Amino acid sequence: MLKVSEITAGYGRTVILQDVSLRVGRGEVVTIIGSNGAGKTTLLRAISGLVKPTAGSIEFDGRRIDRMPPDEIVGSGLIMVPEARQLFPVMSVRDNVLMGGYHPKVRAGMAQRFDEVLDIFPRVRERLDQLAGSLSGGEQQMVAIARGLMAKPKLLMLDEPSLGLAPIIVQQMFDVIDRICKTGTTVLLVEQKAFHALKIADRAYVIENGQIALENTGVGLLSDPHIKTAYLGI
Ligand code: ATP
């Protein structure tokens, strides 16, 4: 479904990603783990069209997308939920969630979709009239994911959804992501919390200094000695 082939990308003259290749099959949950500054967000930004690769190619659903404008990439069903949520704090939760459903390709059927999405997030449903900025960190993250789902993703990319959340909320967050995966949405998940992320992953990549250092199944990486010491603190 997604095929990233040997891309190089960065900011101005600074090269961040070098020769990065990965693939995500339909229905798979693929995780990318890596430490601070390894290039995880830059990789998702490159796939979303926000950072243009200077070499290599990106294909989604059989079409080359690395030269497409970001809104066209969104229209093709590739949706990113950004790190730190980026909600509109002085707008209601309802309007923040609905915001995800305005692209012309998905606008029809928005009311029904809204209802289906809220079935996944009962907590968000209870808070529809509250200002988004007044929610807890975990609730705001749920709103950000709900907004992403409103766009009918074929592939949902989540950038560190557990960032800044208390440990008990982190578990709830991964339970929700697991449920979304089980409804058939393909997920590409970027995380520093390697243990949780690898547990729900079919396959995973490790990114170090802007390069893919390892690739394996989620279970395979959980028992890999390098991953155990470097990422799981075992
Ligand atoms: P984190 O988990 O801390 O978010 P990350 O793996 O997502 O890290 P990136 O955000 O992709 O890492 O950052 C990779 C490198 O790119 C870092 O050295 C960062 O300083 C640099 N970088 C990120 N955004 C920009 C920018 N807009 N301009 C210049 N350099 C940037």
Side-chain angles (χ1 to χ4, degrees):
M1 178 179 241
L2 176 73
K3 190 169 165 214
V4 175
S5 307
E6 297 174 358
I7 62 161
T8 297
Y11 304 96
R13 287 198 190 150
T14 313
V15 174
I16 304 292
L17 303 174
Q18 256 187 319
D19 257 349
V20 169
S21 299
L22 63 88
R23 66 195 161 83
V24 181
R26 200 173 301 277
E28 265 193 324
V29 179
V30 173
T31 288
I32 301 166
I33 60 169
S35 51
N36 270 325
K40 305 180 295 299
T41 300
T42 305
L43 176 55
L44 291 195
R45 290 172 64 86
I47 297 169
S48 305
L50 300 168
V51 169
K52 294 292 171 204
T54 52
S57 66
I58 306 175
E59 276 175 48
F60 178 61
D61 238 1
R63 281 199 304 166
R64 188 120 181 224
I65 59 165
D66 50 277
R67 293 197 192 97
M68 268 187 198
D71 67 308
E72 217 176 296
I73 295 177
V74 165
S76 72
L78 210 164
I79 308 297
M80 172 161 79
V81 178
E83 189 176 353
R85 300 135 208 174
Q86 297 178 12
L87 299 179
F88 297 94
V90 293
M91 279 170 54
S92 69
V93 168
R94 172 183 282 102
D95 288 344
N96 268 279
V97 175
L98 286 172
M99 196 73 79
Y102 278 105
H103 196 281
K105 289 242 171 93
V106 298
R107 208 176 293 165
M110 197 152 92
Q112 190 194 335
R113 181 106 192 121
F114 187 57
D115 213 41
E116 287 166 5
V117 167
L118 292 179
D119 284 345
I120 306 173
F121 301 100
R123 191 72 178 235
V124 173
R125 193 192 284 281
E126 284 168 20
R127 283 162 169 68
L128 286 176
D129 296 317
Q130 222 165 300
L131 294 184
S134 70
L135 300 184
S136 73
E139 289 163 351
Q140 290 194 21
Q141 187 60 60
M142 300 287 180
V143 172
I145 298 175
R147 179 183 57 189
L149 289 174
M150 282 301 293
K152 273 195 176 172
K154 288 182 192 158
L155 173 61
L156 184 68
M157 299 197 292
L158 300 168
D159 192 0
E160 294 206 35
S162 73
L163 193 73
L165 304 185
I168 184 163
I169 310 293
V170 170
Q171 185 55 55
Q172 287 173 16
M173 178 64 54
F174 280 97
D175 289 346
V176 165
I177 296 169
D178 202 27
R179 272 174 60 202
I180 294 169
C181 303
K182 294 207 165 93
T183 64
T185 306
T186 306
V187 173
L188 179 58
L189 171 69
V190 156
E191 262 299 341
Q192 273 193 59
K193 300 234 165 38
F195 177 70
H196 292 277
L198 292 176
K199 251 174 68 179
I200 63 168
D202 295 311
R203 285 188 309 107
Y205 295 86
V206 181
I207 186 166
E208 288 176 356
N209 298 319
Q211 292 183 309
I212 300 292
L214 274 174
E215 176 195 350
N216 204 336
T217 58
V219 176
L221 283 187
L222 275 172
S223 55
D224 183 289
H226 170 62
I227 300 301
K228 278 184 167 171
T229 48
Y231 295 94
L232 302 173
I234 300 173

